[in-house]
Amino acid sequence: MKVDAHQHFWNLSRGDYPWLGPQHGPIYRTFEPEELEPELRAAGIDKTVLVQSANSYEDTEYMLELAERYEWIGGVVGWVPLPDRREAEERLKRWTKLPVFKGIRHLIHDEKDPDWVVRADVIEGLRLLAEYGMSFDVVAVFPNHLKHVPLLAESVPGLRLVIDHLAKPPIADDGWEPWAEQLARAAQYPNVCAKISGLNTAAKAGWSAADLKPYVDYAVKTFGADRLMFGSDWPVALLADEYGRVWRETNEALKDYSETDVRAMLGETAARFYRLER
């Protein structure tokens, strides 16, 4: 099973997306499944994981509606107010009854406090996720958030964590440290995985697999293929290139790995982590 473990839909008439504005050019519009479906077929993708785009109930409800209509949406990563345990649990009681509901994400990189995710009330909310068997996607945008992943993993050892976009390494600047050291520390915790996703928008214009490969190789070295998963980050990826090129260049970056490792990174890890049904 091939899995795109990180993609989005948003409908500007259905909810507010405070981060999204005219400055985002080609992605400042509605994106729905009919537009992505041909790209998935062309790439041979069997399932996707649909990830939240706003810290709102409306966004999550919209994603769950879409998942009912499109069987290739294998999982939904939604949102609950983590600092408010009582309210978060009310929503989790309802949504975790749906097999497609797999986990939670919060746009922590939009919070004014760069340490928001390690506040005591947020940690308590993460413990609640673990109790309900939910995972947590960490928008660990470097340099503010990746360093917190070890503390999260230690504070809630029963919580499955996944670092989105390899924490956006400084590819465009050919940067390395302290990103590499922080990623390696996060990888020491077996309950932490990472996504090979969103890397094209971290690279320079005219990027190719050669630009991504050093960072992908390092992720494989630190995490192992069985804790890495591909994600397109569509439609955000359109800021740098179209879906097909993201898929092809990612495959090119992985071509030197064994068939077993490639299968893991292109689907099996995501299927296991998000507990996707075939």
Side-chain angles (χ1 to χ4, degrees):
M1 182 162 60
K2 291 181 180 177
V3 178
D4 181 341
H6 198 102
Q7 56 94 184
H8 309 281
F9 296 124
W10 53 74
N11 187 317
L12 301 187
S13 68
R14 291 288 305 272
D16 294 326
Y17 299 86
W19 62 272
L20 181 61
Q23 72 273 21
H24 291 96
I27 66 169
Y28 182 48
R29 62 177 178 86
T30 291
F31 286 91
E32 296 198 304
E34 293 81 1
E35 189 170 348
L36 180 60
E37 199 163 28
E39 303 283 2
L40 299 176
R41 286 200 300 268
I45 300 293
D46 300 297
K47 297 285 184 179
T48 74
V49 177
L50 179 53
V51 179
Q52 63 98 228
S53 303
N55 298 335
S56 71
Y57 294 137
E58 291 81 7
D59 179 56
T60 301
E61 293 283 7
Y62 171 64
M63 292 191 294
L64 291 171
E65 288 177 22
L66 294 178
E68 288 184 1
R69 292 162 44 198
Y70 295 88
E71 58 85 23
W72 47 262
I73 299 176
V76 168
V77 175
W79 176 86
V80 295
L82 291 171
D84 188 336
R85 182 183 172 100
R86 179 177 297 180
E87 185 175 344
E89 185 161 24
E90 285 302 312
R91 288 287 170 163
L92 289 173
K93 285 178 180 177
R94 182 193 314 175
W95 287 337
T96 54
K97 294 176 182 178
L98 305 174
V100 77
F101 191 78
K102 304 298 184 179
I104 294 296
R105 188 173 85 147
H106 183 97
L107 302 181
I108 62 177
H109 60 305
D110 286 345
E111 293 288 342
K112 293 180 180 179
D113 178 5
D115 301 323
W116 181 91
V117 75
V118 292
R119 283 178 7 191
D121 56 349
V122 176
I123 295 289
E124 188 60 29
L126 294 176
R127 292 193 176 106
L128 178 67
L129 297 188
E131 291 174 17
Y132 276 82
M134 295 287 100
S135 61
F136 184 61
D137 269 60
V138 187
V139 195
V141 177
F142 183 79
N144 286 334
H145 311 105
L146 181 55
K147 63 188 177 184
H148 293 319
V149 172
L151 177 58
L152 297 179
E154 290 177 3
S155 299
V156 196
L159 178 64
R160 288 171 294 118
L161 298 158
V162 59
I163 300 168
D164 292 346
H165 317 321
L166 294 184
K168 287 287 186 178
I171 301 173
D173 300 324
D174 297 319
W176 196 255
E177 296 293 358
W179 169 82
E181 186 270 334
Q182 291 183 15
L183 191 76
R185 281 201 291 124
Q188 293 175 2
Y189 296 86
N191 56 325
V192 179
C193 292
K195 293 183 182 180
I196 302 171
S197 60
L199 301 184
N200 66 321
T201 52
K204 297 176 183 176
W207 68 280
S208 70
D211 298 299
L212 311 185
K213 188 169 174 55
Y215 300 90
V216 172
D217 287 348
Y218 185 73
V220 176
K221 178 182 177 181
T222 52
F223 278 92
D226 61 345
R227 287 197 287 149
L228 293 173
M229 59 190 88
F230 162 78
S232 68
D233 199 25
W234 189 93
V236 179
L238 296 175
L239 292 171
D241 231 311
E242 46 86 24
Y243 190 100
R245 188 158 187 268
V246 172
W247 173 249
R248 290 190 298 273
E249 294 298 322
T250 301
N251 276 265
E252 178 69 15
L254 300 179
K255 70 177 183 179
D256 295 332
Y257 290 98
S258 70
E259 182 180 347
T260 298
D261 285 350
V262 172
R263 282 204 311 267
M265 291 183 277
L266 296 185
E268 291 177 359
T269 300
R272 183 179 66 253
F273 181 88
Y274 286 113
R275 299 168 180 172
L276 303 182
E277 299 178 3
R278 291 190 176 273

